[in-house]
């Protein structure tokens, strides 16, 4: 399918927006009228620019408050519409979006609206343009696409059709299946937007919180399948009003936006209702990751991290034979310490390795979804890894998981190291928490769900001593891979993010005791916390005493128990050890404020 | 009345919060349980710290999900409550907040809830504490303060009373007048919060968007008057969950918070329903401003601004006799250019002068409301001005307006200048637009409304090329003083804010022509804009041609017309000239995106 995007979805001036859309690979754009008005290029110049860039101009929008009015008002509205049609014609655009009347409608009648749309269509046709009528979710009388279609049917004019916008349909909870009743050639335009599940007035929701498909809670796949089932073959076009995208790099947003349309076509292609007729962009299939392969911590000098890993019972598995990189292992948890090209860098999580069923398939999928490749110098004798750069700049690598659970081939590039200790109480990497800049937090959701097939848990919030932290977990269904993505409050945006790696173990008390014996400085947990745990959960005094002695944190829910502890922060990274008992599936969310306050005190020391 | 505040309203650690509250002048605080748990000081240490700081500890909160449950659950809840009461007792706190059950209630019965609260009261009394029962707006069964009071009445235990929270009452639109039916001594606690008018789910509204009294849309005055009419004499206590205050300077927030309670007492004192019995803090009365006196633009070198003012037809009225400051006048619009203590500063709006009916009264009011004074060196022979520093750092000055409309006395401190030209088409300063940091935007609303008696218009949003700008106008009823406060999007927060001064004139076309003749570079307005104006308003071609020739902008609504133009930006400031025709009362909001895009192009040149 052809791809398009409304210019209101991007920041900057109109010419910049067109350039960004062309660079990303869009086929066309919708021109948002205020972008044209505020720009210093004439309609003819914009038309010529789009032609040079290879972009079609698919829609001019919006024309507001036209129908459902008295005759005197309609006469004035027709005059006003004529000016808009003339501008569209100068742009070489053949379709103008007409929204259902919000501000001036006084007549609640399908017949009146239809008659007025017919007369509008007559004027439009004299300018060589057609009218796509859209029911806004907050239209005064027309707020349902089914009514908009009924009015268009009654108008019965070749220059009058409907525009369908997924937000206006799905935000109201309207059943999209009646779309299948509309002839495909009367759907003059299709606008797509996702949105998070929010309970707020629909106008504010629409104007501030729209997202690209795959980032929110709407079922865009079924919606789009319904539209395509009509034979509609116009562009898939994005119209996303979003406070973040309005102020961030348009080049980046355009790539991100196009990725959402590729993802959507892939989802539609797999939808049971989809006929083979549509020309959907083919995205290579790949199975989701089956587990973490490794985490890489990078720094100019990683020796402080080595001290901590040693105290935590990790075994040095040796240095890489061609790079200043070392490998530390406990159970099947692998930590790579990288000092290559790391001048002036404090310890931080630079990369995450995933074990996938078929690395080549994941690579093909990543390429199809425009994920930028991460470069690592790899010699001919070394195992090449699949790679992508995540929106926050973290690098994601992958290789094919071994069928027998043995270590991956790249481990053998590390020499002179001790073999891993199979008796370690540490099992695997449980989760890797990556702090996201607010600018790319939404993009990250789409990146992880589309390229790696993760699902996105509902976002939660954690109260830290200097603000709320928004947290959303990307994960595989079985929980083998979990990536909590945290967005820090504004005041912290300037400071270096604190990330962490959590290791799952079978005996967290044993790990904690052994680490303490080896001199590990724990993150100190305040006494008041243990009084609270005793009071809240009614835990035995002897258990509380043991938790208190070892600075362990505790949580319990109906699925099981969770016991965990944190190391102090080294550079921008700290480590957590967790023991999940029963079917506990969370992260000890109630303990996060205690941890954040303790880290703040620890940093201030 | 005594003043108190919940620690959750401030950022930082618990000890920092207590220090900030004491420094601001609060009498007491409510301890939010998670603040205690995350802190490293024992309850006894917190109690001692509060005593040393002279703060009472008024409430321990919250205890959740207690009543409306089956007997087995209630037994466990009683055990849990006992632990909370024990902690309260260690803190020396005699009142614990119990919220109506949200998560675990299964029994919808006043009798059951009352019986369980009675038993809770019995346990509480053994710890020497009492229970204040509060209906949460989103309580499972109890979500109305009238029902909470009915249950407390039924419980009939001396240790069980109600807690009233203005948010939970007013967010639901519940009539607060039934508060008067509750005996004052059964109101164990009073929590106050304002909030903006938002249409969203009440839980999110409460957790993120509460404001201090006077900053939102709730009628806190009537609410508080109802509470005081019962004879309630406990503290006025603030509980404000707000994403901004959670991450900004607690010392500053505490002062701001206390100001809101002083303002509220002043409003209650003037409420018709208020009896004389309450010990309300006396805030001096002052009439609102009657107009702008001057605007001060400050820079190391103001000569670029002088060039522009000269081109705009302003007359140099001379230099100040003791300071490197000059005065420029057009009509009754005065611009002071200040080069004192301005090293490395680009031109920016440093101060706004207001004409008030009685400067001494305004000064007394500003002092009572804890407005920090702005210092200016003033010699004995010079007119002293009242002063305050606004939350964004702008300085506000005031002097008593002359009865006959003649210029204020301080003007005579400027020597060797020409007299003002009474025939100028410029009348007065129409509005001064000040860009606000997001951190202090809410505080600014309370500052201007409380100290100067301005009203706050509903906030609006303007779409700029790099993000949405939130704008809220502070103004006098007659529009003689208007201060639009703009909050820029995040991406711009780091860059210097662009502010502007708008001058009202009787003949904006004449001003524009004369300024152009004197060589003023206008902000260029794109051609497309004029096609749009012609199309939208059906304005005559000859009028459009004149607007286009002079780079004028146009707006029209049912009240009248608005014609205006902008200068290019000098440093961080630009000027606007406006002509209001008929009763047009706006600011040409639809033109703001055009202006913002033009400024962005102009800056990039």
């Amino acid at each position: 399918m052809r791809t398009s995007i409304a210019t209101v979805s991007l920041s900057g001036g109109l010419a910049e927006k067109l350039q960004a859309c062309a660079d990303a690979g869009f086929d066309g754009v919708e021109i948002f009228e205020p972008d044209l008005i505020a720009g210093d290029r004439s309609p003819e110049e914009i038309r010529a620019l789009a032609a040079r860039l290879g972009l079609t101009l698919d829609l001019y929008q919006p024309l507001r408050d036209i129908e459902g009015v008295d005759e005197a008002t309609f006469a004035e509205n027709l005059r006003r519409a004529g000016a808009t049609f003339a501008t569209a014609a100068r742009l070489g655009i053949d379709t103008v979006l007409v929204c259902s009347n919000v501000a001036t409608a006084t007549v609640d009648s399908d017949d009146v609206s239809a008659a007025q749309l017919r007369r509008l269509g007559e004027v439009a046709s004299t300018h060589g343009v057609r009218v796509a009528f859209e029911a806004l979710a907050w239209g005064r009388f027309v707020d349902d696409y089914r009514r908009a279609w009924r009015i268009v049917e009654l108008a019965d004019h070749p220059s009058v059709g409907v525009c369908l916008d997924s937000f206006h349909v799905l935000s109201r909870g309207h059943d999209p299946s009646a779309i299948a009743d509309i002839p495909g050639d009367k759907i003059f335009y299709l606008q797509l937007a996702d949105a998070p599940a929010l309970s707020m007035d629909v106008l504010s929701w629409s104007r501030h919180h729209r997202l690209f498909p795959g980032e929110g809670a709407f079922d865009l796949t079924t919606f789009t399948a319904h539209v395509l089932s009509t034979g509609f073959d116009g562009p898939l076009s994005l119209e996303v009003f979003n406070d973040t995208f309005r102020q961030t790099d348009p080049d980046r947003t355009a790539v991100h936006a196009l990725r959402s349309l590729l993802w959507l076509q892939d989802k539609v292609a797999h939808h049971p209702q989809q006929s083979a007729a549509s020309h959907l962009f083919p995205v290579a299939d790949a199975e989701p990751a089956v587990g973490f392969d490794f985490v890489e911590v990078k720094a100019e000098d990683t020796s402080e991290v080595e001290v901590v890993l040693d105290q935590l019972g990790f075994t040095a598995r040796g240095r890489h034979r061609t790079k200043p990189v070392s490998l530390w292992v406990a159970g099947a948890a692998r930590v790579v310490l990288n000092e290559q090209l790391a001048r002036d860098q404090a310890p931080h999580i630079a990369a995450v390795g995933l074990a996938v069923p078929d690395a080549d398939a994941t690579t093909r999928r990543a390429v199809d979804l425009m994920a930028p490749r991460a470069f690592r110098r790899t010699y001919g004798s070394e195992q090449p890894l699949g790679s992508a750069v995540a929106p926050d700049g973290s690098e994601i690598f992958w290789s094919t998981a071994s069928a027998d659970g043995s270590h991956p081939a790249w481990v053998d590039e590390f020499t002179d190291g001790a073999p891993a200790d199979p008796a370690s109480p540490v099992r695997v990497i449980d989760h890797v928490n990556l702090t996201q800049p607010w600018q790319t937090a939404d993009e990250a959701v789409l990146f992880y769900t589309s390229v790696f097939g993760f699902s996105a848990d509902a976002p939660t919030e954690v109260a830290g001593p200097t603000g709320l932290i928004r947290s959303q977990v990307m994960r595989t269904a079985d929980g083998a891979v979990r990536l909590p993505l945290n967005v820090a409050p504004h005041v912290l945006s300037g400071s270096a993010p604190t990330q962490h790696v959590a290791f799952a173990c079978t005996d967290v008390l044993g790990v904690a005791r052994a680490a303490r014996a080896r001199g590990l400085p724990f993150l100190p947990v305040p006494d008041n916390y243990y009084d609270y745990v005793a009071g809240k959960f009614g835990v035995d005094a002897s258990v509380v005493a043991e938790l208190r002695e070892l600075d362990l944190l505790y949580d319990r829910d109906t699925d099981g128990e969770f016991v965990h502890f944190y190391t102090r922060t080294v550079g921008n990274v700290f480590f957590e050890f967790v023991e999940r008992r029963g079917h506990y599936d969370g992260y000890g969310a109630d303990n996060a404020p205690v941890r954040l306050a303790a880290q703040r005190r620890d940093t201030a020391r």
Side-chain angles (χ1 to χ4, degrees), chain A:
Chain A
M1 305 284 295
R2 295 183 53 250
T3 54
S4 190
I5 182 168
T7 54
V8 73
S9 314
L10 304 171
S11 74
L14 183 52
E16 292 164 78
K17 296 180 186 205
L18 295 187
Q19 186 73 51
C21 295
D23 288 349
F26 275 95
D27 298 307
V29 299
E30 307 174 17
I31 302 287
F32 185 60
E33 183 185 60
D35 282 328
L36 181 78
I37 293 168
D40 61 353
R41 304 206 187 189
S42 69
E44 290 77 10
E45 285 175 299
I46 292 297
R47 179 180 189 165
L49 173 62
R52 172 166 65 78
L53 294 173
L55 289 171
T56 55
L57 298 181
D58 299 321
L59 185 78
Y60 190 56
Q61 63 122 326
L63 183 54
R64 299 186 192 277
D65 300 324
I66 292 291
E67 39 65 58
V69 296
D70 61 58
E71 186 54 33
T73 305
F74 186 67
E76 169 61 15
N77 289 353
L78 265 190
R79 185 204 57 70
R80 175 163 60 89
T84 301
F85 296 149
T87 303
R90 290 174 65 193
L91 285 160
I93 295 178
D94 70 358
T95 308
V96 171
L97 175 71
V98 174
C99 305
S100 61
N101 197 325
V102 173
T104 63
T106 52
V107 186
D108 185 7
S109 155
D110 287 359
D111 289 331
V112 168
S113 285
Q116 292 179 341
L117 278 190
R118 189 180 317 119
R119 288 164 63 192
L120 187 72
E122 285 161 5
V123 173
S125 66
T126 66
H127 292 274
V129 302
R130 27 180 235 172
V131 158
F133 183 55
E134 173 184 76
L136 294 180
W138 53 91
R140 174 79 179 86
F141 299 125
V142 181
D143 58 6
D144 184 324
Y145 78 95
R146 292 162 291 204
R147 185 166 184 192
W149 164 235
R150 204 155 62 233
I151 292 169
V152 165
E153 233 182 340
L154 278 172
D156 191 26
H157 190 282
S159 298
V160 178
V162 292
C163 173
L164 295 173
D165 180 317
S166 61
F167 183 89
H168 294 296
V169 176
L170 302 176
S171 66
R172 296 290 308 269
H174 293 158
D175 181 353
S177 63
I179 291 171
D181 303 335
I182 308 174
D185 62 0
K186 289 303 274 186
I187 301 175
F188 281 8
Y189 212 76
L190 171 65
Q191 292 179 317
L192 297 167
D194 203 342
L198 294 175
S199 166
M200 64 190 303
D201 76 282
V202 71
L203 179 60
S204 298
W205 191 15
S206 173
R207 294 258 169 100
H208 299 284
H209 302 288
R210 289 189 180 205
L211 293 170
F212 293 115
E215 296 170 350
F218 289 167
D219 180 1
L220 269 294
T221 307
T222 302
F223 178 88
T224 306
H226 281 303
V227 176
L228 299 191
S229 74
T230 67
F232 172 81
D233 66 353
L236 303 175
S237 189
L238 298 163
E239 187 192 31
V240 171
F241 302 88
N242 177 290
D243 289 359
T244 297
F245 307 146
R246 278 183 186 276
Q247 53 183 306
T248 48
D249 178 8
D251 294 315
R252 172 156 207 152
T253 305
V255 170
H256 162 199
L258 187 56
R259 180 181 299 137
S260 78
L261 286 182
L262 303 179
W263 168 87
L264 179 63
Q265 291 179 74
D266 182 48
K267 296 292 276 189
V268 172
H270 289 81
H271 193 272
Q273 203 178 313
Q274 181 50 28
S275 68
S278 304
H279 304 292
L280 294 166
F281 180 86
V283 177
D285 285 329
E287 294 296 310
V290 296
F292 284 105
D293 185 358
F294 65 88
V295 163
E296 179 188 292
V297 176
K298 189 169 178 175
E300 176 166 359
D301 177 356
T302 60
S303 53
E304 268 194 284
V305 183
E306 295 188 40
V307 170
V308 171
L309 290 174
D310 182 68
Q311 289 166 329
L312 287 165
F314 276 71
T315 305
R317 185 71 181 71
R319 289 184 81 79
H320 192 272
R321 61 187 184 220
T322 68
K323 302 172 195 169
V325 172
S326 63
L327 172 63
W328 291 72
V329 175
R334 286 177 286 275
V335 178
V336 172
L337 301 184
N338 181 0
E339 293 182 346
Q340 191 175 33
L341 306 174
R343 185 161 159 187
D344 290 338
Q345 294 181 22
H348 64 283
I349 298 176
V352 173
L354 300 174
V356 298
D358 178 346
D360 290 342
T362 298
T363 298
R364 285 191 297 272
R365 185 169 178 85
V367 169
D368 283 350
L369 288 166
M370 307 170 69
R373 188 168 161 259
F375 174 77
R376 292 290 166 101
R377 197 187 303 144
T378 307
Y379 292 103
S381 63
E382 294 168 9
Q383 189 192 3
L385 301 179
S387 71
V389 181
D392 69 348
S394 299
E395 295 179 326
I396 311 295
F397 294 94
W398 54 88
S399 61
T400 302
S402 63
D404 59 359
S406 63
H407 66 240
W410 63 263
V411 166
D412 294 329
E413 294 163 19
F414 289 78
T415 56
D416 306 322
D421 170 17
S424 171
V426 175
R427 294 195 305 109
V428 292
I429 295 171
D430 185 89
H431 58 277
V432 180
N433 189 307
L434 299 172
T435 303
Q436 305 293 301
W438 61 266
Q439 293 93 329
T440 57
D442 294 316
E443 184 183 348
V445 172
L446 180 68
F447 174 82
Y448 287 111
T449 55
S450 66
V451 176
F452 299 106
F454 296 162
S455 62
D457 285 356
T460 59
E461 271 154 359
V462 173
T466 53
L468 292 177
I469 295 170
R470 184 176 181 277
S471 182
Q472 186 167 20
V473 179
M474 306 290 118
R475 58 174 288 175
T476 54
D478 61 0
V481 177
R482 303 165 186 256
L483 293 173
L485 305 182
N486 282 9
V487 183
H490 305 158
V491 77
L492 295 177
S493 295
S495 57
T498 302
Q499 312 155 318
H500 84 267
V501 186
F503 300 100
C505 45
T506 51
D507 173 17
V508 76
L509 277 84
V511 171
R513 275 195 199 289
R516 181 150 297 188
R518 289 189 213 98
L520 178 76
F522 283 54
L523 183 70
V525 176
D527 253 13
N528 295 343
Y529 171 78
Y530 296 101
D531 297 340
Y532 156 79
V533 164
K536 177 172 180 186
F537 298 107
V539 177
D540 277 356
S542 63
V543 173
V544 172
E546 197 163 26
L547 296 173
R548 192 189 302 256
E549 179 205 337
L550 293 169
D551 285 304
L552 295 171
L553 296 143
Y554 179 87
D555 191 25
R556 188 173 73 203
D557 62 19
T558 50
D559 296 324
E561 287 178 307
F562 188 60
V563 185
H564 57 141
F565 73 89
Y566 298 100
T567 69
R568 293 174 60 189
T569 302
V570 180
N572 298 323
V573 66
F574 63 95
F575 299 105
E576 179 183 6
F577 283 75
V578 309
E579 182 180 337
R580 296 175 182 278
R581 298 176 182 166
H583 294 94
Y584 184 93
D585 199 40
Y587 306 85
D590 281 357
N591 298 333
V594 177
R595 189 252 299 165
L596 288 163
Q599 287 177 323
R600 183 163 176 266
R601 283 192 297 271
D602 202 44
T603 307
R605 294 203 320 182

